[in-house]
Amino acid sequence: SYVLTQPPSVSVAPGQTARITCGGNNIGSKSVHWYQQKPGQAPVLVVYDDSDRPSGIPERFSGSNSGNTATLTISRVEAGDEADYYCQVWDSSSDHQVFGGGTKLTVL
Amino acid sequence: QVQLVESGGGLVKPGGSLRLSCAASGFTFSDYYMSWIRQAPGKGLEWVSYISSSGSTIYYADSVKGRFTISRDNAKNSLYLQMNSLRAEDTAVYYCARSVSSGYSDYWGQGTLVTVSS
């Protein structure tokens, strides 16, 4: 089955740029989606179809996808961005929704 | 506004059964695919099952296939998950989520906790 690999943790100072990667075999051929989950809360979609943002999500959140790596970029990081972030794809070969293991973003 | 409210979670013994429900409002339920996604304590997200808008297409994760059954009642704006032969590893918060054809889930409920323990 298709596997998505994320770094367990990323740390960044306030005001800097955070980049969270999601690796998968030829992931560039798939649509990648990203979710933010704060402690005790349900996940929230922050980027869909590689780089689109749902309404209400700040422009600071952006996404890209090419080759074997997709990236969620958070510009001008704020303390409120501290959360777990998950990438996700639909694997059409197995008809499964696949999530990455998640990355904990720490704002220093 | 879109609302998804799960219910039916609780404590159940290994081998037991439980039925989860998800009440949807704020959108045309019959137009959307729906999913169940779970999260074990302290762990990441795990997709469980997916049902098309009409209910004609259903998919399951390998870990629950043959034990869990997803269904929906479009007249009642409700999604269900019948869980049988429950195991300790099924212990998790179960989320109901609205899904779209390209495979992402744009709205999630707050989740219901299922604990499988003797």
Side-chain angles (χ1 to χ4, degrees), chain A residues 6-11 102-106:
Chain A
Q6 297 183 237
S9 62
V10 167
S11 298
T103 297
K104 181 176 180 59
L105 175 67
T106 299

Side-chain angles (χ1 to χ4, degrees), chain B residues 29-106:
Chain B
F29 182 71
S30 58
D31 284 349
Y32 285 86
Y33 299 69
M34 297 294 295
S35 298
W36 287 100
I37 297 155
R38 68 185 180 183
Q39 187 170 36
K43 303 296 185 183
L45 300 173
E46 180 189 15
W47 170 76
V48 173
S49 185
Y50 166 103
I51 186 169
S52 63
S53 55
S54 66
S56 60
T57 300
I58 288 173
Y59 302 119
Y60 296 100
D62 296 343
S63 57
V64 306
K65 198 168 187 177
R67 301 187 298 122
F68 289 12
T69 302
I70 191 172
S71 62
R72 63 190 297 160
D73 185 336
N74 286 343
K76 294 184 177 179
N77 292 339
S78 293
L79 176 73
Y80 306 102
L81 186 68
Q82 177 67 43
M83 305 186 295
N84 298 331
S85 303
L86 283 161
R87 307 167 180 166
E89 54 265 37
D90 295 318
T91 294
V93 173
Y94 284 73
Y95 295 102
C96 156
R98 190 179 85 168
S99 299
V100 300
S101 58
S102 61
Y104 63 87
S105 298
D106 59 353

